Amino acid sequence: MTSSSCLYTRTTSLLLIFCIQLFLIVYAAGNTNFYNDFDITWGGGRGKIIGAGDILTLSLDRVSGSGFQSKKEYLFGRIDMQLKLVPGNSAGTVTAYYLSSQGANHDEIDFEFLGNVSGEPYTLHTNVYAQGKGDREQQFRMWFDPTSNFHTYSIIWTPQTIVFLVDETPIREFKNMEAIGVPFPKHQPMRLYSSLWNADEWATRGGLVKTDWTKAPFTASYRNFNVKTGALLQWGMTHSQKLKWVKDNHMIYNYCNDAKRFPQGFPPECRVTGSH
Ligand SMILES: *[C@@H]1O[C@H](CO)[C@@H](O)[C@H](O)[C@H]1NC(C)=O
């Protein structure tokens, strides 16, 4: 199956075609193979890797949700995954998609998708934990229906910054502000996790809307996982206009604007320009 064995057979065009096909199959399988990269860790068969390993689905019913985690841990890099969220009446369901280290003072970089009743928008919830402390929520509305097609959700994580992207559009940047005393996830490798679960006691309109179990099972799908490791990732300042566009048009909650939550004063990172 090496290229040299293909070279020897080059005289026979049929075999050449066979070699090319073999190469394409090996290449395509190398692209995303959920069997190689992930373990389904929860859900008693409700999480499934399908076909050749290019699609993974999680589902939730009245008895249980499901979840998976990456086999590998990452320290800095860019991670892309395409998700298609639970369609129809997804109220009460939460699809969590996040990087996390382990232990008491863990670090975490979170995307969470809070479902809604049919026709009403999902909430995209984000958070960053450093040294066990989170409380840095920002929430957004997507500018498309995240249930009708796959869309790409990415995390760029370098020693200098964390960027959340949706279809290449940056929606949030959490810079390294250790210089002003804000801890930054930098020392603990993280695994990639995702789970689909029922959170109808709080997720949709603060718990007012309950999960409609007659619509179960609820299913979310994953494909095109891609990871580039290493700290030397491109993150251009040209993206700041896009970040502002998202902030002005699609942000629905920012902890740095929520004075009620911080009677003793905002966290230090909120005083940095661009955090509001
Ligand atoms: C669901 O839709 C309602 C009405 O548009 C909205 O107020 C709410 O924020 C939406 N999202 C969630 C998760 O409740």
Side-chain angles (χ1 to χ4, degrees):
M1 215 174 58
T2 61
S3 55
S4 62
S5 67
C6 284
L7 280 178
Y8 284 117
T9 58
R10 200 159 68 185
T11 45
T12 319
S13 56
L14 259 181
L15 276 171
L16 178 61
I17 289 165
F18 174 74
C19 282
I20 290 169
Q21 280 181 344
L22 201 61
F23 172 77
L24 287 176
I25 289 162
V26 170
Y27 179 77
N31 232 355
T32 312
N33 189 333
F34 283 103
Y35 291 110
N36 291 342
D37 295 319
F38 293 93
D39 289 315
I40 306 239
T41 45
W42 175 51
R46 289 173 183 79
K48 289 192 187 83
I49 298 172
I50 293 175
D54 50 340
I55 300 268
L56 186 154
T57 59
L58 291 184
S59 74
L60 160 73
D61 58 32
R62 203 188 277 269
V63 176
S64 177
S66 51
F68 66 86
Q69 69 181 51
S70 62
K71 291 188 198 279
K72 286 190 194 144
E73 293 185 310
Y74 308 102
L75 184 64
F76 308 125
R78 173 182 173 133
I79 294 179
D80 303 311
M81 181 86 87
Q82 293 195 312
L83 275 72
K84 191 167 138 186
L85 301 176
V86 174
N89 184 355
S90 59
T93 72
V94 172
T95 305
Y97 174 72
Y98 58 104
L99 286 168
S100 181
S101 63
Q102 290 182 316
N105 297 315
H106 80 295
D107 299 328
E108 202 175 301
I109 303 171
D110 291 337
F111 276 107
E112 266 183 37
F113 304 92
L114 315 185
N116 215 332
V117 290
S118 301
E120 296 299 330
Y122 264 72
T123 294
L124 169 48
H125 177 98
T126 63
N127 205 353
V128 176
Y129 283 72
Q131 300 292 307
K133 192 187 163 300
D135 299 330
R136 300 195 175 93
E137 299 86 356
Q138 288 187 355
Q139 295 183 337
F140 305 86
R141 288 267 187 265
M142 287 163 273
W143 48 93
F144 51 82
D145 174 2
T147 71
S148 62
N149 271 308
F150 283 93
H151 290 270
T152 308
Y153 302 90
S154 312
I155 294 166
I156 296 176
W157 174 32
T158 78
Q160 291 80 36
T161 195
I162 292 165
V163 185
F164 297 76
L165 302 102
V166 176
D167 288 337
E168 295 300 319
T169 297
I171 59 161
R172 175 173 189 180
E173 182 173 19
F174 184 78
K175 291 188 183 132
N176 183 328
M177 291 172 280
E178 287 175 308
I180 57 164
V182 182
F184 186 83
K186 214 175 65 176
H187 301 290
Q188 312 186 74
M190 302 204 243
R191 244 181 249 287
L192 183 64
Y193 297 84
S194 190
S195 56
L196 173 57
W197 43 289
N198 177 43
D200 68 358
E201 69 280 5
W202 61 268
T204 306
R205 302 184 59 205
L208 284 177
V209 184
K210 298 296 174 194
T211 303
D212 178 1
W213 294 112
T214 66
K215 302 291 187 309
F218 302 100
T219 302
S221 309
Y222 302 74
R223 73 175 189 197
N224 288 345
F225 167 68
N226 193 25
V227 51
K228 296 185 191 80
T229 49
L232 296 169
L233 292 159
Q234 292 293 326
W235 167 244
M237 286 298 109
T238 50
H239 287 89
S240 59
Q241 277 190 322
K242 283 188 177 166
L243 270 174
K244 187 174 181 315
W245 173 77
V246 173
K247 196 166 284 179
D248 292 347
N249 297 286
H250 298 284
M251 186 188 263
I252 55 171
Y253 178 81
N254 184 356
Y255 73 113
C256 283
N257 291 334
D258 192 352
K260 283 196 301 293
R261 258 179 83 184
F262 302 103
Q264 318 296 333
F266 283 108
E269 71 269 21
C270 294
R271 284 174 234 131
V272 172
T273 324
S275 294
H276 288 274

